[in-house]
Amino acid sequence: MGDNRVAFRGGRWAIYNIDRLTLSWIRKLDIQQAVDHRSKTDLEGYPGFGGGRPNPAEHFVSVMQGRIIDLNSSDTGFMHAALELAAQAEQAGEVPVGAIMVRNGTIVGRGYNCPISASDPTAHAEVMALRDAGRHLGNYRLADCTLYVTLEPCAMCMGAIFHARIARLVYGAADPKTGACGSVINLSAELRLNHHLQVTRGVLAEEGGYKLKQFFAKRREARTTNREEIDEN
């Protein structure tokens, strides 16, 4: 299918296939919903594909499956690097979340959760990776970069991602409490915002989720032990 690219222009999603020179406009549709086939009917009968060409809904889903759902061969490798940073966070007593910034196949920024040790409520893994990449590249705009993070970003981190103009976000485990890419709210699909990016979900989600579950289980066990010791005294 070639190098499919997605852009947001004039209030519509544009899917542009360089090889076939196909340009189709999709009005106000969440990419992930289309991929999940939940909004496929929204596109039925959409004009612009005549002469026996594919139905626009089917074309849209096939394009986005190739671009967003199917994992890039390098995604798992980069996510493993982010998981290594999450392990460093855990060793420091922080919630185990790690993030890396990639540009042209090279890691240009690294970060892991450190709000406790840094006494900084904004020191999430994503923010630390953004700061590191900005220093490395000498620019606060990171428009041609991909951010890999082991946990779905929160609203604060998504705001920072938007300001940095990140081109693509890849995350692992979903966050049902503070996730801002679909779990609680979906800022990545908010059409009124001035920046939009490609999102790949669930890369090594099981590994990242397991690490988080183990961390919080150990924390609860430690609290229970402390309470029992206090009661005995």
Side-chain angles (χ1 to χ4, degrees), residues 56-105:
E58 295 176 356
H59 177 79
F60 181 77
V61 171
S62 65
V63 168
M64 296 318 300
Q65 282 179 328
R67 184 62 176 173
I68 291 184
I69 295 302
D70 294 340
L71 300 183
N72 183 295
S73 60
S74 62
D75 283 351
T76 53
F78 286 130
M79 189 60 76
H80 275 299
L83 284 167
E84 291 177 2
L85 289 167
Q88 293 183 36
E90 184 174 14
Q91 292 173 2
E94 305 275 0
V95 176
V97 180
I100 63 169
M101 192 73 67
V102 175
R103 181 188 185 195
N104 297 328

Side-chain angles (χ1 to χ4, degrees), residues 10 20 53 85 88 93 107 117 119 125 135-136 139 161 168 191 196 205 220:
R20 296 184 182 179
R53 303 180 77 175
L85 289 167
Q88 293 183 36
I107 297 176
S117 56
S119 299
R135 286 190 294 265
H136 180 78
N139 198 333
I161 288 167
R168 182 172 179 243
L191 302 178
H196 300 86
R220 288 191 295 270

Side-chain angles (χ1 to χ4, degrees), residues 11-29:
R12 302 176 182 178
W13 286 108
I15 309 165
Y16 183 55
N17 183 285
I18 295 175
D19 291 344
R20 296 184 182 179
L21 297 178
T22 299
L23 180 63
S24 59
W25 296 99
I26 307 301
R27 293 180 181 273
K28 296 183 177 180
L29 181 71

Side-chain angles (χ1 to χ4, degrees), residues 23-198:
L23 180 63
S24 59
W25 296 99
I26 307 301
R27 293 180 181 273
K28 296 183 177 180
L29 181 71
D30 178 356
I31 289 177
Q32 190 61 39
Q33 287 181 337
V35 173
D36 290 344
H37 301 272
R38 291 195 297 270
S39 298
K40 186 175 179 180
T41 55
D42 295 343
L43 296 175
E44 296 294 341
Y46 193 88
F49 280 82
R53 303 180 77 175
N55 178 282
E58 295 176 356
H59 177 79
F60 181 77
V61 171
S62 65
V63 168
M64 296 318 300
Q65 282 179 328
R67 184 62 176 173
I68 291 184
I69 295 302
D70 294 340
L71 300 183
N72 183 295
S73 60
S74 62
D75 283 351
T76 53
F78 286 130
M79 189 60 76
H80 275 299
L83 284 167
E84 291 177 2
L85 289 167
Q88 293 183 36
E90 184 174 14
Q91 292 173 2
E94 305 275 0
V95 176
V97 180
I100 63 169
M101 192 73 67
V102 175
R103 181 188 185 195
N104 297 328
T106 301
I107 297 176
V108 295
R110 295 175 173 84
Y112 58 78
N113 261 13
C114 57
I116 299 173
S117 56
S119 299
D120 180 358
T122 70
H124 287 193
E126 301 94 319
V127 172
M128 302 308 291
L130 286 166
R131 291 173 180 172
D132 192 36
R135 286 190 294 265
H136 180 78
L137 298 175
N139 198 333
Y140 76 110
R141 297 296 199 199
L142 305 170
D144 54 353
C145 293
T146 297
L147 176 64
Y148 292 83
V149 59
T150 58
L151 180 67
E152 180 181 0
C154 68
M156 177 189 73
C157 291
M158 284 302 295
I161 288 167
F162 289 149
H163 282 298
R165 301 294 191 265
I166 298 300
R168 182 172 179 243
L169 168 67
V170 181
Y171 70 82
D175 186 346
K177 294 185 177 180
T178 64
C181 287
S183 293
V184 179
I185 56 175
N186 195 352
L187 293 179
S188 62
E190 177 51 66
L191 302 178
R192 292 169 294 181
L193 295 172
N194 67 340
H195 178 66
H196 300 86
L197 71 165
Q198 298 171 25

